[in-house]
Amino acid sequence: MSKISKFFKVGSPSSKNRGPTPQEAIHKLRETEEMLTKKQEYLENRIQQELTTAKKHGTKNKRAALQALKRKKRFEQQLAQIDGTISTIEFQREALENANTNTEVLKNMGYAAKAIKGAHENMDLDKIDSLMQDITEQQEVAQEISDAISRPVGFGDQYDEDELLAELEELEQEELDQNLVSMGGLPSVPSASLPSRPASKKKVDVNDDLDMEQLAAWAT
């Protein structure tokens, strides 16, 4: 038997040698923490009492004052030790609580994994692939049917758009001609010539000036 196997006994431990459960250990640590907290409060009260005693005696009874201060220092050392012990206990308790939580989480995850495995045992991957292919084919058929139904019947691009526009212009021109006929047609153009426009007064005045200049030249 190896040294490791001697140190760690192999086999299921008996109920007598079974270690405490996390819940039991957490409970014990909480009890110890409460006990130390009460001791902490007691030491704080004793420190305050010894400080009051030292102040009371002062210089009047120096020996009693010094004894009170010594007891105060001793209580302060015990209080510091208890503070460190409580911190250690809190760390252990939190570690146990985390370990207990992790154990429960892993237990539930294992339970869920077994449930998933049991659900997948009745599933055949080949059947699932075949089923998904059938679903895909049926969706494609349904899409083709929808496209065929929504496509207009008898109305396509068989007519020339230019011919339709030309026919539309003829209809508009025909309607315009009918409107003119109903209004009596266009007004006739008068046959008589219009009177000529009289010469402007400015032009007559210019001619008179020319005549006066010619007359003056002849007289000289």
Side-chain angles (χ1 to χ4, degrees):
M1 184 179 294
S2 62
K3 295 181 179 180
I4 297 177
S5 60
K6 289 181 180 180
F7 188 76
F8 296 101
K9 293 182 179 180
V10 181
S12 59
S14 62
S15 60
K16 183 178 180 180
N17 297 327
R18 182 180 60 85
T21 62
Q23 293 83 355
E24 293 174 351
I26 291 172
H27 181 69
K28 290 293 184 182
L29 288 175
R30 285 178 178 173
E31 289 181 348
T32 304
E33 189 176 353
E34 292 176 358
M35 179 188 66
L36 292 176
T37 301
K38 293 180 180 179
K39 184 67 178 295
Q40 196 177 34
E41 294 175 355
Y42 169 77
L43 291 175
E44 289 175 352
N45 292 330
R46 288 301 306 271
I47 291 171
Q48 189 63 33
Q49 292 176 1
E50 298 300 334
L51 182 60
T52 302
T53 302
K55 290 179 179 180
K56 179 181 178 181
H57 293 288
T59 56
K60 297 179 181 178
N61 191 349
K62 186 179 293 185
R63 182 177 179 181
L66 291 175
Q67 291 295 329
L69 291 176
K70 289 179 181 180
R71 288 191 297 270
K72 182 177 98 44
K73 289 293 183 182
R74 187 170 63 250
F75 292 147
E76 287 176 350
Q77 291 177 356
Q78 295 178 13
L79 183 61
Q81 292 175 354
I82 290 176
D83 289 339
T85 304
I86 290 177
S87 297
T88 303
I89 290 175
E90 287 178 349
F91 176 78
Q92 285 184 324
R93 178 174 52 81
E94 291 174 358
L96 280 172
E97 290 174 349
N98 292 332
N100 188 32
T101 302
N102 294 333
T103 302
E104 292 296 326
V105 170
L106 291 175
K107 186 187 298 183
N108 294 332
M109 291 176 65
Y111 180 77
K114 291 180 180 179
I116 295 173
K117 183 178 180 181
H120 288 167
E121 286 179 354
N122 298 325
M123 294 183 183
D124 188 355
L125 293 178
D126 295 334
K127 292 182 179 179
I128 293 174
D129 292 337
S130 177
L131 177 62
M132 295 305 297
Q133 291 178 0
D134 293 339
I135 292 174
T136 303
E137 292 177 358
Q138 294 302 320
Q139 288 178 346
E140 292 176 354
V141 172
Q143 184 64 38
E144 292 177 358
I145 293 173
S146 299
D147 294 340
I149 293 174
S150 61
R151 189 181 303 116
V153 178
F155 297 95
D157 297 335
Q158 55 199 11
Y159 300 107
D160 189 1
E161 186 175 356
D162 294 335
E163 294 179 359
L164 295 176
L165 291 174
E167 185 177 355
L168 180 60
E169 290 179 358
E170 292 178 0
L171 293 175
E172 292 177 351
Q173 185 63 38
E174 184 179 351
E175 183 179 359
L176 181 59
D177 295 340
Q178 291 178 358
N179 291 334
L180 292 175
V181 171
S182 62
M183 293 173 61
L186 293 174
S188 58
V189 179
S191 58
S193 60
L194 296 175
S196 60
R197 182 178 180 183
S200 62
K201 184 178 179 180
K202 184 177 181 181
K203 186 175 182 181
V204 175
D205 293 339
V206 172
N207 294 331
D208 292 342
D209 294 338
L210 291 174
D211 293 340
M212 291 298 293
E213 288 176 359
Q214 292 176 1
L215 180 59
W218 179 79
T220 59

